Amino acid sequence: MQRLKIITTIFVVLGIAMIVSYPWTVGSIPVETATNEEKKIYLIKMVIFVTVVLLTWLAAATSALLMIRRIRMEYLEQSEQHLQELLSSRPPKKNNERESE
């Protein structure tokens, strides 16, 4: 589970860093007098950037869900184990108690 925590943290930090780096990664919006070629290049950069950011956040969400699933499974296993320990540690009834019931 430690790996999943690390992977989730890395993807979240990477996603935040990518969003913050948007102005440097994609660049500024071309002016209206720019050629169609410059506008196409900007559009391609923007589509690639948004796709990579979405994939990064999708990976972060997936690893977080896997981590939650694993935590839930461990909790259920521990609950069963604690219940078994509780039932096995029950003191045996004495003869007087059995007859009164």
Side-chain angles (χ1 to χ4, degrees):
M1 185 169 71
Q2 189 66 22
R3 284 184 184 166
L4 283 174
K5 285 182 183 179
I6 293 170
I7 291 170
T8 303
T9 304
I10 288 171
F11 277 123
V12 168
V13 169
L14 184 62
I16 292 170
M18 289 178 72
I19 290 172
V20 169
S21 73
Y22 165 75
W24 298 282
T25 306
V26 178
S28 61
I29 299 173
V31 293
E32 290 187 29
T33 58
T35 64
N36 283 340
E37 187 66 30
E38 290 174 346
K39 290 178 182 179
K40 286 180 185 177
I41 290 172
Y42 177 78
L43 181 64
I44 290 170
K45 283 182 186 179
M46 183 65 141
V47 167
I48 291 172
F49 179 79
V50 169
T51 304
V52 171
V53 168
L54 287 176
L55 289 174
T56 302
W57 284 107
L58 180 66
T62 303
S63 62
L65 287 174
L66 290 173
M67 183 175 58
I68 290 170
R69 176 191 270 174
R70 183 166 290 172
I71 290 171
R72 186 183 312 146
M73 295 298 287
E74 288 177 4
Y75 175 76
L76 289 174
E77 289 172 2
Q78 285 180 352
S79 294
E80 284 183 21
Q81 183 182 7
H82 290 301
L83 179 63
Q84 291 299 325
E85 289 174 4
L86 180 66
L87 291 175
S88 65
S89 67
R90 212 167 96 194
K93 292 184 178 181
K94 295 181 182 177
N95 287 336
N96 294 341
E97 290 178 6
R98 288 185 192 160
E99 292 173 4
S100 65
E101 292 179 0

